[in-house]
Amino acid sequence: MKVAEAVGRALTAAGVDHVFGVVGSGNFHLTNAMVAAGARFVAARHEGGAATMADAYARTSGAVAAVSVHQGPGLTNALTGVTEAAKSRTPLLVLAAEATAQNSNFRIDQAMLAHSVGAVTARVTTAHDAVEQARAALQRARHDRRTVLLNLPLEVQSLEVPDGALLDALPMPAREPVEPSDAAVADLVRVLETARRPVFVAGRGARTPAARDALLTLADRYGALLATSAVARGLFHESPWSLDVSGGFASPLATELLQGADLIVGWGCALNMWTMRHGSLIGPDATVVQVDDDPHALGAHRAIDLGVTGDVERTALRALEAGGEGRQGYRTPELAAGLAARGRWRDVPYEDEGTRERIDPRTLSIALDDILPAERVVAVDSGNFMGYPSAYLSVPDENGFCFTQAFQSIGLGLATAIGAALARPDRLPVATLGDGGALMSAVELDTVRRLGLPMVVVVYNDEAYGAEVHHFGPDGFPLDTVTFPETDIAAVARGYGFEAVTVRTPADLKSVADWVGGPRSAPLLVDAKVTRDHGSWWLEEAFRGH
């Protein structure tokens, strides 16, 4: 058996059940071996899309995914998606063929490339150790929650593997949760018992049902309000004490309550500039606590008063076991009524700025929230528009929102929705894009149609790179480089086999409702011509913070 086949078989046997990619000569045999061993291969139209699909699948499913690429340009094409995954600490395995011959036109320093974007690297070097080296790379991706580039030199892939080196059937040990120390738990309980207005902010490290349930119980004991970072949005969806997202997307009431907290506990949450609005959501007298199973994460983005190294679920359970009297904390009947009445963005009054030619993005988002099924998984691209779907489209739980924004690249939203849709086939996938990101990634509309995904793609179309328009426009700079003629994106989608509708007024959304209630024989694209007179609230604040 050749190395390429042995590695493919071993990785599939070790639990990699989805591999995304674009197949060329260098990764042909490896990819086919994984398919033959039972993995599902998802062919993207561009390696950048493949990497982001794999990233989103891993985030939503909780399993390690793989992306398979050709040597040289296959990897460079995938690099933006790989960078996003690496910055997000997504457990992802990048399987890259590698040209090592000095005169090969495909030869580049792939390891250096990966290191430059924050990924870690491994290489298959011999036929005898190939399977063991591949499994070690997978283990690092899974246990260290890292994006790992496994280089597979062409000359090594073609070697014969000795029979005694086939270890593909051996089980791989599970990652053990990090147990907090007794002293750290005691310190945490002490600050919880003295807090009068505590708020829990949960992040990626809390995105499991078990961690959520432990945090809900602990919050009930101490009267804490509940918020999340954007990547964990939906975690506390069912709680009446949820503030939804902390940060730039926070509602006015959530902002007020976060700023009034005397204790903020970040649970598996970086408490970075976005989640804390450059620190403006932390009151001057607030105690800040951070719980994370990676000690290097503690205090990495801001000063903290207490750092606890430990798994979120285990730390919350240990705090519960330590006892402590129940407290009302932040939870009062008046606050409960306020959250019920005006806790969501859609409850905040606004003046509709729509015209006969353009729909207000708030009106559009609220209408879509009412029309689309509640069981959904929402993916959001980057751009001026992104706060509207992030704030106005509700999601059922932490697996209902996939937010690939660590690198802040536009053009990832559609591929994100595809990966999330494959991880949650029981839900309606909703991709929300700006026109720039939609046209940048339009090639993956073919992937949506080919996979038969019943997806809704919503394009907030202002015919511009809106972030730049609203950042530079007020100062009188010319905007010809960031504005574009009107494009019929609905017609583009029809060319890929979509149903499509152009929306200029709320009445045009009837076609969306008809699609939702119909047989859904094809995916749907909504080309929404949105108002563009000013920037979105969250982006204006983000620019002020720089």
Side-chain angles (χ1 to χ4, degrees), residues 357-375:
E357 295 298 319
R358 294 192 171 273
I359 189 169
D360 189 306
R362 295 164 293 186
T363 302
L364 169 70
S365 302
I366 291 171
L368 289 172
D369 192 42
D370 292 335
I371 292 169
L372 300 175
E375 287 297 311

Side-chain angles (χ1 to χ4, degrees), residues 203-214 235 311-313 398-399:
R204 182 178 286 108
R207 289 183 70 254
T208 68
R212 176 199 61 216
D213 292 346
L235 185 68
D311 172 78
V312 167
E313 178 194 354
E398 70 279 7
N399 291 318

Side-chain angles (χ1 to χ4, degrees), residues 75-165:
L75 179 60
T76 57
N77 279 347
L79 200 59
T80 297
V82 171
T83 305
E84 169 63 34
K87 286 181 175 290
S88 298
R89 294 292 294 267
T90 299
L92 180 67
L93 191 59
V94 183
L95 304 171
E98 183 181 28
T100 57
Q102 289 292 330
N103 61 348
S104 172
N105 59 315
F106 292 127
R107 185 179 182 276
I108 57 173
D109 191 335
Q110 296 188 171
M112 183 178 291
L113 199 65
H115 282 299
S116 74
V117 302
V120 296
T121 61
R123 176 177 280 110
V124 172
T125 57
T126 69
H128 185 271
D129 295 328
V131 168
E132 187 175 353
Q133 290 168 336
R135 285 167 55 87
L138 174 60
Q139 189 79 336
R140 183 160 193 195
R142 180 180 287 158
H143 280 212
D144 294 352
R145 295 192 302 271
R146 297 297 298 270
T147 294
V148 178
L149 169 66
L150 178 61
N151 283 306
L152 295 133
L154 298 176
E155 65 276 13
V156 178
Q157 286 193 54
S158 62
L159 297 176
E160 289 288 336
V161 176
D163 290 341

Side-chain angles (χ1 to χ4, degrees), residues 281-329:
L281 295 183
I282 301 174
D285 300 319
T287 297
V288 179
V289 177
Q290 191 178 0
V291 179
D292 202 290
D293 64 4
D294 179 2
H296 300 293
L298 300 177
H301 290 275
R302 66 184 58 262
I304 58 176
D305 299 292
L306 173 63
V308 179
T309 301
D311 172 78
V312 167
E313 178 194 354
R314 289 300 308 144
T315 302
L317 290 175
R318 289 279 303 280
L320 285 165
E321 292 165 0
E325 295 184 5
R327 300 172 60 87
Q328 182 185 57

Side-chain angles (χ1 to χ4, degrees), residues 7 25 41 103 150 169 180 188 235 242 313 319 343 359 379 387 396 399 428 540:
V7 167
S25 59
F41 176 64
N103 61 348
L150 178 61
L188 174 61
L235 185 68
S242 172
E313 178 194 354
I359 189 169
N399 291 318
L428 178 72
E540 290 175 352

Side-chain angles (χ1 to χ4, degrees), residues 381 411-415 433 436-445:
D381 209 325
L412 305 187
L414 181 57
L433 321 173
L439 291 171
M440 189 177 290
S441 62
V443 65
E444 300 303 349
L445 293 172

Side-chain angles (χ1 to χ4, degrees), residues 26 36 71 130 269 277 291 293 341 393 404 408 444 449 455 532:
Q71 62 271 22
C269 177
R277 282 193 189 176
V291 179
D293 64 4
L393 295 184
T404 46
Q408 290 182 259
E444 300 303 349
R449 187 266 312 161
M455 184 181 292
R532 53 189 182 182

